[in-house]
Amino acid sequence: MENGSLIIYNASAGSGKTYALTSVYLNHIFKSRHNYRKILAVTFTNKATAEMKSRILENLYRLGAGMESGYLGELTAALNKPQEWIMTEAQEILNSILHDYSRFSITTIDSFFQRILRAFTREVGLHSGFSIEMENERILAAAVRQMIRSAASDTQLRNWLTSYALSNIEEEKTWNLQDAILKLSNELFNEKFRMLPAKERSLLDDKKYLGEYVNELRALIACAEKNLKTFGQQAGKFFADYGLTDQMFYQKSRGIPRFVQTLLAGEMVRPNSYTLAITENPPKWSSGTPSAGLQLAAEAGLGELLTDAIGFIDSNITACKSAEVILANIYSLGILSDISRNVHLITSDENRFLLSETGDVISQITGGDQAAFIYEKAGTRFTNFMIDEFQDTSVIQWNNFKPLIDNSMAEGHDNLVVGDVKQSIYRWRNSDWRILGLFLRNTAGNSRIETRKLTVNWRSCDGIIKFNNRLFTVIPRILDKTFESENLPASFGNLYSEAVQHDAGRQKGGYVNIQFLAPTEEHTWKELVLAKIPETAGRFLENGYRPSDIGIIVRNKKEGAQILKTLIDYNNLPDGEKRFGSIAIMSDDSLELGSFPALCFIIAVLKTATNPGDSISRAIMLKF
């Protein structure tokens, strides 16, 4: 039997990955007009699915109608057929797909796994007609509430929650246990947690084991604090015996004196550069010539003592900080098993199934190596698999796909994955860059696996392409040099080897501006950024750009709200105080009724009219 292959298109954004995938798909279905029934093309969003379906159907229509299509030349060359044959066959294929649309299998990865899951309804203990729950928060919140209520009859759980509450009070944290538990309970849906061995997961349900572990961690931290205080007391004795003052030291109170204070407090804190100056050769104790008392103290052993303290911190800070983080979360961690049980009880009672658990359940059912069994239960057999945006694939998803692709290759069929390892930084839905970055690269010597590079950028302006080429050529080298001793699983140079692109010559221009803002004594870097945004946006608008051409990317909603407020405040300034015109802005928050100044004004007027003594409403009325 002819060996099948796996083709990997590993290329950067704008290089035509989706075009290449569509080309391969068309090539397959022109070999046999019913091949669309045997091909599974997987994307990660509904939008990408609709786009790919539309592209295939549109080009089949164009080919069949004798209209211009970018795929015509490739098809005639690959199939060695005349254009008339392509035209006739395209009409027949399009007609077949439209009359058999349910077999036109271009779908999201979640939809495909749901189809498989419904075939295994009986095996997973679900009733027919179950509903898919896409949002975990509602189920999780109900599970946490149910777990807290059950503590009334569960002595062990009640004691554990009591210890948790006391721990929060000691650390001056929130008394609201439910919110804290909810925050960590999201780990239940994290693949790293789900992939833990059963033995390790069972330990989380053992409150006695966790209690003993808590005592060990506290003993470790207490021992470190005791040693630090001993160092601090010995250093303090030097200060007293030799009459040392803050003014004698390099950077005064910000250097050695502050470090000694942290030692006396038992705080595990890395020393700053002013303190580390004493470890240089020669050691730097003061800005000028050290005072006689400081010189005598250094020679009498202060330098050796502080160096030992710095060495102790370097050796123990990782363990101590890890212990502190574990202690801060271990009480929540200890009830994950209880919450997990409640989640399954709630979903079972409501005949629901969490979308995030689909891949995990399928992996458990199939055992990772039962492609024939999956086909038999699902009632659909695919011979070719195509996965778009492969860098977004998670470990569990890949483990579920791998037996199907292996089976396809073993039967002599070709498969295709398309992705860009650089985009895995977004960690979309538990994606793991190592699948594309390491696994596929490690099989490069396999003759059945072929890696292809698309090096032409069809989307960006030439200025952007040149900037990216320089940036992604220099940075990987710097990172490889910086982490040379870290023994990383892959070099950045290899991962970014395909980043350099050629210009397709379609668009000239492009503008890139990078600014590094250092905080000052008066303003943080965020405040400086907020101050620059109206000016930057205003200049873009003056240069002919439209508001819809400008996008502002933030890390979280809080930052987005700050930027929105900054722009609204700028727009509300008197015209004489504006350097540029008003800036139209749209966001999720700005679309809310409460964000409209006119509406805020009307509501404030009504409140003031009803209650003239309401000073807050009066102030809001005057503001707007």
Side-chain angles (χ1 to χ4, degrees), residues 100-120:
D100 190 21
Y101 200 74
S102 63
R103 302 284 294 276
F104 185 38
S105 299
I106 299 176
T107 182
T108 63
I109 194 168
D110 287 331
S111 296
F112 172 65
F113 282 155
Q114 287 176 45
R115 185 193 306 182
I116 300 297
L117 179 66
R118 292 190 182 278
F120 287 95

Side-chain angles (χ1 to χ4, degrees), residues 416-556:
L416 173 71
V417 298
V418 177
D420 178 13
V421 70
K422 298 187 297 301
Q423 294 183 39
S424 292
I425 61 172
Y426 302 114
R427 298 291 295 159
W428 170 255
R429 294 279 300 276
N430 295 306
S431 64
D432 192 333
W433 66 272
R434 288 170 294 187
I435 300 173
L436 182 60
L438 294 180
F439 171 74
L440 297 179
R441 288 182 184 277
N442 291 339
T443 55
N446 190 331
S447 59
R448 298 172 63 188
I449 297 180
E450 178 186 352
T451 301
R452 297 179 183 177
K453 295 181 180 180
L454 302 173
T455 59
V456 178
N457 188 315
W458 302 91
R459 181 188 304 165
S460 305
C461 298
D462 63 343
I464 306 298
I465 296 172
K466 290 175 183 177
F467 170 79
N468 285 339
N469 287 347
R470 293 172 184 172
L471 185 71
F472 291 116
T473 299
V474 174
I475 288 182
R477 295 175 185 171
I478 296 174
L479 291 174
D480 281 334
K481 187 174 181 180
T482 302
F483 297 103
E484 189 174 3
S485 60
E486 297 292 331
N487 193 27
L488 297 176
S491 75
F492 290 95
N494 289 336
L495 292 176
Y496 284 73
S497 60
E498 83 294 337
V500 175
Q501 296 179 302
H502 301 295
D503 181 13
R506 290 187 171 185
Q507 301 183 72
K508 297 296 181 183
Y511 173 77
V512 178
N513 181 284
I514 297 178
Q515 298 182 43
F516 297 93
L517 301 179
T520 64
E521 292 183 1
E522 295 82 14
H523 302 287
T524 65
W525 68 268
K526 284 190 176 181
E527 290 171 340
L528 294 174
V529 170
L530 290 173
K532 275 184 169 290
I533 284 178
E535 176 186 349
T536 304
R539 285 181 176 173
F540 284 144
L541 297 175
E542 275 194 345
N543 290 331
Y545 291 98
R546 297 168 299 178
S548 58
D549 294 330
I550 303 172
I552 301 175
I553 300 175
V554 296
R555 289 187 177 273
N556 52 56

Side-chain angles (χ1 to χ4, degrees), residues 41-71:
V42 172
T43 64
F44 278 81
T45 64
N46 290 324
K47 182 179 179 181
T49 297
E51 181 184 349
M52 188 173 176
K53 282 185 173 181
S54 175
R55 182 177 293 197
I56 291 171
L57 295 175
E58 179 186 356
N59 279 280
L60 284 174
Y61 174 79
R62 297 180 71 88
L63 289 168
M67 300 168 66
E68 182 180 353
S69 171
Y71 298 97

